[in-house]
Amino acid sequence: MARDLTYAEQTSVNNTLRLRDLLKGLPPFAKDYFRAIEPTTSNRTRLSYAYDIRLFFKFLIENNPAYRNYSLTDFKVEDLNKLDALDIEEYQEYLKVYTDTSDKMVTNGEKGLSRKMSALRSFYKYYHKHGIIENNPTLLVDMPKLHEKAIIRLDNDEIAMLLDHIEQRGNSLTGQAKIYHEKNKCRDLAIVTTLLGTGIRVSELVGLDINNVNFKNNGLTVTRKGGNQMEVYFGDEVEKALKDYLEERMAVTALPGHEKALFLSTQKRRIGVQAVENLVKKYALEVTPNKHITPHKLRSTYGTALYKETGDIYLVADVLGHKDVNTTKKHYAAIDEDRRRLAAKAVKLREV
């Protein structure tokens, strides 16, 4: 009898099947590229690249007269050779605002532009490196410049306000709104407290099963990017929030296939990433309306607090599951205002 797949394994299978389906609608030669990058990329990355490459060929059909009568599967690898730097620059401009396959307007900022252009560069690089095409015009086009953004996170008072608000929000509600909040309050508080108290990713949180919680050592068995499992430890506040929620959770009969899930939606299915993002946004907007708070910002809040407490950037990198400590340095080692003020007093110009 085959064992049940974990959430991470099932997600991997779903991504693989979606990629196979997507490749059927791409130029036939594209399969060679996706086969070649499989050993060095995750299926999630390959799926994102497939959407980005499809968008590039869609752009050519819509904007290049030479391909006006083409379908996506009509393109040959030789067509890549016919394009020049101007075509790539026009594509980069197109990416700023375009309509998707459902005629919905899509916009891209610096990060979105950079990712899509990176996908195209990687695509071209493969065929150029193997001598299949002679030209690589993507190398002649500058990549979008990424400007450093200030790290948005909650301070200690805002953390307390957010958690208090989730607990007490029902006091200001009436009717169905009050009933709905009280029904989900314990779950929502456990979710937000866990995100704030462990720094795990939202994708890791929704993938948690009941048996991933161990109160003997106060640890969560989390499946990181790439499929590796790691024990992430939590403190007393997370312990209490999880225990309170589990009392309710164990009384709920989940739908078939979702019985193991720790966090359930109102439909008794494993809660999804979008649902967690929505509930975090809802509560945060009511407490800190001037800050755009997401689950990732709660992760940043934890990472920054841990760095301030320990001063150990390698510990922060390990706990957050960063493979490269430079990622951690970039995002979590920002010097706060109090330390800047200390710096002003640290240097004496003249002895008194």
Side-chain angles (χ1 to χ4, degrees), residues 98-152:
Y98 61 90
T99 57
D100 62 14
T101 52
S102 60
D103 288 329
K104 180 182 177 182
M105 188 175 75
V106 179
T107 60
N108 280 291
E110 291 175 350
K111 289 184 70 174
L113 283 173
S114 182
R115 194 202 76 186
K116 287 177 169 55
M117 292 302 295
S118 292
L120 186 61
R121 270 197 173 184
S122 174
F123 191 65
Y124 256 95
K125 180 182 177 181
Y126 168 76
Y127 297 103
H128 187 252
K129 178 182 177 181
H130 289 80
I132 299 171
I133 58 175
E134 297 177 2
N135 304 314
N136 185 356
T138 64
L139 296 178
L140 304 176
V141 177
D142 292 333
M143 290 287 283
K145 183 175 178 59
L146 292 175
H147 295 86
E148 290 294 328
K149 293 184 178 180
I151 299 174
I152 298 174

Side-chain angles (χ1 to χ4, degrees), residues 10-72:
Q10 187 61 59
T11 299
S12 178
V13 168
N14 293 343
N15 286 341
T16 299
L17 293 176
R18 286 168 64 193
L19 178 60
R20 287 178 184 174
D21 190 55
L22 200 56
L23 287 178
K24 293 176 184 177
L26 287 177
F29 68 86
K31 292 179 182 179
D32 296 333
Y33 163 74
F34 284 97
R35 190 182 303 114
I37 66 171
E38 183 171 356
T40 57
T41 57
S42 67
N43 51 41
R44 183 179 178 182
T45 296
R46 293 193 296 279
L47 184 62
S48 294
Y49 274 22
Y51 281 118
D52 293 340
I53 298 305
R54 183 178 69 176
L55 180 61
F56 174 65
F57 288 111
K58 176 177 175 284
F59 156 78
L60 292 176
I61 293 171
E62 292 178 358
N63 296 273
N64 193 315
Y67 304 110
R68 187 165 294 156
N69 297 320
Y70 270 49
S71 67
L72 289 173

Side-chain angles (χ1 to χ4, degrees), residues 2-283:
R3 67 175 179 84
D4 292 336
L5 297 179
T6 65
Y7 171 79
E9 290 169 337
Q10 187 61 59
T11 299
S12 178
V13 168
N14 293 343
N15 286 341
T16 299
L17 293 176
R18 286 168 64 193
L19 178 60
R20 287 178 184 174
D21 190 55
L22 200 56
L23 287 178
K24 293 176 184 177
L26 287 177
F29 68 86
K31 292 179 182 179
D32 296 333
Y33 163 74
F34 284 97
R35 190 182 303 114
I37 66 171
E38 183 171 356
T40 57
T41 57
S42 67
N43 51 41
R44 183 179 178 182
T45 296
R46 293 193 296 279
L47 184 62
S48 294
Y49 274 22
Y51 281 118
D52 293 340
I53 298 305
R54 183 178 69 176
L55 180 61
F56 174 65
F57 288 111
K58 176 177 175 284
F59 156 78
L60 292 176
I61 293 171
E62 292 178 358
N63 296 273
N64 193 315
Y67 304 110
R68 187 165 294 156
N69 297 320
Y70 270 49
S71 67
L72 289 173
T73 54
D74 289 334
F75 284 94
K76 304 290 189 293
V77 71
E78 295 81 18
D79 289 309
L80 296 181
N81 243 341
K82 298 175 183 178
L83 303 176
D84 57 25
L86 181 60
D87 292 304
I88 307 303
E89 288 173 351
E90 288 177 347
Y91 173 60
Q92 187 167 286
E93 179 64 26
Y94 168 85
L95 288 175
K96 294 178 181 177
V97 183
Y98 61 90
T99 57
D100 62 14
T101 52
S102 60
D103 288 329
K104 180 182 177 182
M105 188 175 75
V106 179
T107 60
N108 280 291
E110 291 175 350
K111 289 184 70 174
L113 283 173
S114 182
R115 194 202 76 186
K116 287 177 169 55
M117 292 302 295
S118 292
L120 186 61
R121 270 197 173 184
S122 174
F123 191 65
Y124 256 95
K125 180 182 177 181
Y126 168 76
Y127 297 103
H128 187 252
K129 178 182 177 181
H130 289 80
I132 299 171
I133 58 175
E134 297 177 2
N135 304 314
N136 185 356
T138 64
L139 296 178
L140 304 176
V141 177
D142 292 333
M143 290 287 283
K145 183 175 178 59
L146 292 175
H147 295 86
E148 290 294 328
K149 293 184 178 180
I151 299 174
I152 298 174
R153 52 187 176 265
L154 299 174
D155 60 34
N156 290 340
D157 288 342
E158 289 169 335
I159 291 172
M161 287 168 58
L162 177 61
L163 297 177
D164 288 346
H165 178 67
I166 296 173
E167 287 184 324
Q168 301 166 13
R169 184 173 183 264
N171 297 338
S172 61
L173 300 174
T174 58
Q176 286 299 316
K178 184 179 180 69
I179 293 172
Y180 181 84
H181 175 74
E182 292 300 327
K183 181 180 179 181
N184 296 296
K185 178 176 70 174
C186 208
R187 180 203 66 183
D188 294 355
L189 185 62
I191 286 175
V192 174
T193 305
T194 300
L195 290 171
L196 280 167
T198 63
I200 62 175
R201 298 176 177 91
V202 62
S203 58
E204 296 165 349
L205 178 125
V206 301
L208 289 172
D209 287 338
I210 295 172
N211 62 7
N212 292 146
V213 184
N214 185 349
F215 290 114
K216 290 181 179 178
N217 66 353
N218 273 11
L220 296 173
T221 304
V222 174
T223 302
R224 295 294 197 188
K225 282 184 176 180
N228 296 324
Q229 287 195 327
M230 176 181 175
E231 196 79 359
V232 175
Y233 299 98
F234 52 82
D236 294 342
E237 291 173 282
V238 176
E239 177 187 11
K240 181 180 185 309
L242 287 174
K243 283 183 174 179
D244 288 347
Y245 167 67
L246 276 168
E247 282 188 25
E248 292 186 1
R249 169 65 184 88
M250 301 310 290
V252 177
T253 302
L255 291 178
H258 301 267
E259 297 93 342
K260 295 181 179 179
L262 175 58
F263 293 111
L264 295 177
S265 69
T266 52
Q267 290 79 36
K268 299 182 181 180
R269 302 174 181 272
R270 182 185 296 274
I271 199 168
V273 169
Q274 186 68 57
V276 175
E277 289 175 343
N278 288 342
L279 74 86
V280 168
K281 179 181 178 181
K282 177 185 71 175
Y283 290 123

